[in-house]
Amino acid sequence: MGFTFTTMTLNLVLLIAMVATNILSLYHLSSTLQSPKSPKPPPPVPDQLIHQLHTIRATINHLTRLQHTDTNTNTKSSIPSDLLLYSHLSPIASSCHNHPDLLHKYMTYTPFSLCPSDWDLAESLILRGCHPLPRRRCFSRTPHKPPLSTSLPQNPFPSSLPDSTVIWDRYSCKSFDCLNKQNPNLGFEPSRDASKFTTYKTELDLPIPQLLQIVKSAKSVLRLGLDIGGGTGSFAAAMKLRNVTVLTTTMNVAAPYSEAVALRGLVPLHVPLQQRLPLFDGVVDLVRCGHAVNRWIPVTMMEFLLFDVDRVLRGGGYLWIDHFFSKGLDLEKVYAPLIGKLGYKKVKWATGNKTDAGGVKNGEVYLTALLQKPVSR
C-alpha cells in the first residue's frame, strides 16, 4: 500500500512539473513574441513546437489515465517502477512517449537479474525515434558457449565468423552460413569483400588507393572516419589495413550486423539514421555514406543527416557518397541541390544507370561523389 502511495505521489509530482513547465514556456513564448514597438501581429507558433506540446499533452493524458485506473482498482500502477525512477534521473526522448506500450514493455523487467531477450523490441523503439533508450538495471545475456578469446579472428577479412559469439534466438537464421546462403552479398562471409574497395570497374567506383592519393595530393590527412550504414564493416576493415580508424553505424535488422562488425576487430555504433551522430564537432577526416543512405530516406531527414555530417567533419575533411541511387529526375531536381547546400568542393561527381530489375523499372541512377568541406568558414 505504501509503494502504491509513493508511486501515485511521484506521478502527481511529475504531472504538476510538466504542466507548470508548459505554462511557463507558453507564457515566455507569448511575452517574447509580442513587441510594444511594432503594430505587426506576432508570428505563428512554429509547427515543431506545436508538435512537441501535443506530445507532452498526450503523455500527460496517458499518465493520467493510468493514474485513474490505479486509483479505481486499488492495484499496483502499470507504469514500470524503473521507468518512473529513470525519468527522475535523466530525460527520456520525446518520441519514446509516442509509443508508451512498447516503452512500458521494454522497461518491464526484474531489476538485478538477467535482461529479457528483447533486442528486437529495443530496435523497434530506436527506429521509431526513441533513442537513446532508457537505461536498465539488469545483466546482459551472453552466448551459452562463447569461443575462447584466442579463437576470435585476427584478420579483418576472415574466411568465416564464429557462430558461438551470437545469441540467435530472435533470428530466423541460426548461423552465419545460413545468412550467406540466403544472400551472399550481405557481407557475412568477409573474405568475399577483401577486394571490394580496392578495384575499379566503372566510373562509379572509388578505390581506396585512389582515395588516399587524392588526400595526399591535397596535402591533407586521413586518420579517422565514419561509415554510415556500413553493414558488416567491410569498408572499415579495408581502412584498418591502411592504419585508418573507421567507426561503423549499423542496426541489427533481421541479422547480427553489430556482432559481425565487432568480430572483425572493429567498432559498431548501434544508432539509427534519423538520430544525431554520437561524435563531437569537427573530429573526423572522412564520412562515407553507404548503401543505407538512399532515396528511401525522407528528404527532410536526408537534409538533417547531411548537415550533421558537416558538423562532425573537420575543415578540409571529405564526404564520400557511395552509390547513392534515386530516380534520374529526382537526382537533378531534388538531391543534387540538396547536396549542393553544403557548399563543398566537388572532387568527384559520377553518375550511371542502375541496371538491375528495380533500377530499370523505376528509371533509377547511381551517384558517387567525393566532396571536400571548406577548410574554414
Side-chain angles (χ1 to χ4, degrees):
M1 188 70 181
F3 177 83
T4 302
F5 178 78
T6 302
T7 302
M8 292 172 60
T9 303
L10 289 175
N11 283 341
L12 184 59
V13 170
L14 178 61
L15 287 173
I16 293 173
M18 294 178 70
V19 171
T21 301
N22 275 336
I23 294 173
L24 289 174
S25 298
L26 288 174
Y27 175 79
H28 175 73
L29 179 64
S30 61
S31 62
T32 302
L33 291 176
Q34 294 175 356
S35 175
K37 299 180 180 179
S38 174
K40 295 181 180 180
V45 179
D47 291 340
Q48 186 177 6
L49 178 57
I50 293 176
H51 175 71
Q52 290 175 352
L53 292 174
H54 284 321
T55 299
I56 295 172
R57 186 178 296 110
T59 303
I60 294 174
N61 291 337
H62 179 75
L63 290 174
T64 302
R65 287 195 301 272
L66 291 175
Q67 183 70 56
H68 181 70
T69 301
D70 180 59
T71 302
N72 289 343
T73 60
N74 198 28
T75 60
K76 183 179 178 180
S77 172
S78 62
I79 303 176
S81 59
D82 263 28
L83 178 56
L84 286 172
L85 177 61
Y86 186 84
S87 66
H88 288 280
L89 300 174
S90 181
I92 298 176
S94 61
S95 293
C96 294
H97 298 301
N98 293 335
H99 308 280
D101 294 338
L102 290 177
L103 181 62
H104 288 188
K105 186 176 180 181
Y106 177 73
M107 290 300 290
T108 301
Y109 68 98
T110 304
F112 314 115
S113 63
L114 274 179
C115 295
S117 181
D118 60 355
W119 64 261
D120 50 344
L121 174 62
E123 289 214 336
S124 294
L125 280 164
I126 291 172
L127 292 173
R128 286 169 171 80
C130 182
H131 185 264
L133 288 173
R135 289 176 172 174
R136 300 194 295 190
R137 298 178 297 167
C138 57
F139 299 105
S140 62
R141 293 178 177 270
T142 56
H144 295 302
K145 296 181 180 179
L148 297 174
S149 58
T150 55
S151 65
L152 293 174
Q154 298 297 315
N155 179 1
F157 289 98
S159 58
S160 63
L161 299 172
D163 296 330
S164 57
T165 58
V166 177
I167 300 175
W168 295 93
D169 58 345
R170 312 293 280 192
Y171 298 111
S172 57
C173 270
K174 307 302 180 185
S175 68
F176 287 115
D177 184 58
C178 171
L179 291 170
N180 290 327
K181 289 179 179 178
Q182 283 190 352
N183 188 344
N185 297 318
L186 291 178
F188 291 104
E189 189 179 356
S191 58
R192 289 171 53 93
D193 290 343
S195 61
K196 182 177 180 180
F197 293 98
T198 60
T199 57
Y200 184 95
K201 296 180 180 178
T202 72
E203 185 65 19
L204 293 167
D205 296 322
L206 180 58
I208 289 176
Q210 182 184 5
L211 171 65
L212 296 177
Q213 183 58 46
I214 289 172
V215 173
K216 182 179 179 181
S217 298
K219 297 181 180 179
S220 189
V221 64
L222 200 56
R223 309 153 300 137
L224 300 173
L226 176 68
D227 190 13
I228 298 177
T232 60
S234 290
F235 176 67
M239 296 301 282
K240 181 180 181 180
L241 296 178
R242 292 161 176 82
N243 201 32
V244 179
T245 301
V246 174
L247 305 178
T248 301
T249 75
T250 188
M251 294 290 290
N252 279 29
V253 179
Y257 288 96
S258 296
E259 291 94 326
V261 173
L263 283 170
R264 302 173 74 172
L266 309 168
V267 179
L269 297 178
H270 190 234
V271 293
L273 294 175
Q274 68 265 38
Q275 296 300 313
R276 190 176 192 265
L277 297 171
L279 299 171
F280 191 67
D281 302 0
V283 295
V284 297
D285 308 306
L286 171 72
V287 174
R288 173 181 173 268
C289 294
H291 186 68
V293 181
N294 274 296
R295 71 176 180 90
W296 50 63
I297 301 177
V299 174
T300 302
M301 185 190 298
M302 178 80 73
E303 185 174 45
F304 275 105
L305 173 62
L306 290 176
F307 277 88
D308 204 32
V309 167
D310 176 79
R311 179 184 63 81
V312 302
L313 272 177
R314 64 168 176 81
Y318 292 88
L319 166 61
W320 177 10
I321 300 173
D322 191 5
H323 282 74
F324 174 88
F325 69 82
S326 69
K327 294 182 178 180
L329 186 61
D330 288 343
L331 178 61
E332 178 184 352
K333 299 293 186 180
V334 178
Y335 296 108
L338 186 64
I339 296 169
K341 288 182 179 180
L342 295 175
Y344 285 13
K345 175 184 176 182
K346 290 183 180 180
V347 180
K348 178 183 178 73
W349 186 278
T351 60
N353 291 328
K354 190 172 183 285
T355 57
D356 61 2
V360 173
K361 177 182 177 181
N362 297 306
E364 293 173 334
V365 296
Y366 279 121
L367 165 69
T368 291
L370 182 67
L371 311 167
Q372 186 176 25
K373 180 177 178 177
V375 174
S376 61
R377 283 194 171 117

